[in-house]
Amino acid sequence: MDIIRLGVVGTGIIVKAMLAAVERVDGIKAVAACSRSEERGRGLGLEKVYTSLEEMLKDDGIDAVYIAVPNLLHYSRAKQVLTSGKHCLLEKPFCVRLDEAEELIRIAKEKNLLLMETIPPAYGPNIRYLNNALSEIGRIRLVMSNFSQYSSRYDLLKKGELPYIFDPNYGGGSLMDINYYNVYLNAFLFGRPETVLYHPNMMNGIDTSGVLTLRYPDFVSTNAGAKDTSGENYFFIEGEQGYLKVIDGTDSIPEVKLVTKNREERFNRQNEELRMDGEVSFFVNTLNSNDYSEAYRMLEVTKDAVWITQKARKYAGILFPGD
Ligand SMILES: NC(=O)c1ccc[n+]([C@@H]2O[C@H](COP(=O)([O-])OP(=O)(O)OC[C@H]3O[C@@H](n4cnc5c(N)ncnc54)[C@H](OP(=O)(O)O)[C@@H]3O)[C@@H](O)[C@H]2O)c1
């Protein structure tokens, strides 16, 4: 493929960050925006604007579509994109239910299309360092993480508004938003746990923060996520021979510290300001290589992450439309 021509769906903050990343990466160009409002669509400054996804998908001048709409709409929008024969970049959290995730993956494979969950830490070097360094710390016994970031949208919630990011009708809440990064990292490093518990702080039926406990055969992993407090963010993995610490939040894994009896080192090969470029480069390189095996393998991690959130919600009684 010469230059991958990208359409984007949604006009929120993350779309603007994605467009900046696409601009910096060779081999891909954003050509069209899809918004419910022509004005907001035009605001993104791309060549073409659509107010209907159906219309955008008829455009032969678009090869791939990036979807950044509220969580509960991910599945239906991605299904439309894949069914139309276009490649798809789908924002995190991929889907709110496992059967929906499996269906999207099945369609992508059947049609030989590239489908990816966009979640920046998954495509950077630091997560691979972390994964490889697990062998240095011996038998893992404890995992503890915290990702707490006071959200301006929490203030809106307290004032009686209902931003999408919190709205259960759109698959919102702390687990699906901020704690999803911790969920994803657990899934990436350890796969599916044996049991999943979620103890949320609820406000008007919305989990604004909470603690997720994952029991693996040999260790327990506790993961706090909050949109109603701020904290020091970290992801700690303690083994019998040492420990690993992600310094700061798991939305990017900015730096990893390894401490064993014999050595101590810090690792970082990422540039925080370019945090989304890795996933865009991965998308371009994978499409050009015609070998989607690694991307499809990563969708297995995504499936485990979706499975964890679905179990956690069920345990806590957090229901979304369609559950
Ligand atoms: N990867 C990351 O690090 C990261 C970071 C932040 C967010 N995200 C994810 O990206 C997605 C969007 O987040 P955001 O913060 O950009 O959200 P947002 O600011 O609330 O924007 C949501 C966008 O969805 C579009 N949309 C389309 N159909 C909609 C509908 N029926 N109802 C409401 N909105 C609709 C809206 O665009 P129009 O109004 O123009 O149609 C709106 O711009 C979420 O799934 C979130 O989890 C990922």
Side-chain angles (χ1 to χ4, degrees), residues 8 27 35 75 111 119 123 153 171 215 236 240 261-262 294 300 306 317 319:
V8 303
S35 167
Y75 161 71
K111 290 181 162 280
I119 178 159
Y123 303 94
R153 297 179 201 178
R215 160 107 349 248
F236 249 120
E240 289 176 347
K261 286 172 185 137
N262 309 319
E294 177 59 10
E300 295 300 309
V306 172
L319 296 178

Side-chain angles (χ1 to χ4, degrees), residues 186-187 190-195 214-221 308:
N186 276 282
F190 313 124
R192 280 188 199 189
E194 287 178 338
T195 53
L214 308 176
R215 160 107 349 248
Y216 286 91
D218 218 21
F219 61 91
V220 65
S221 170
I308 290 170

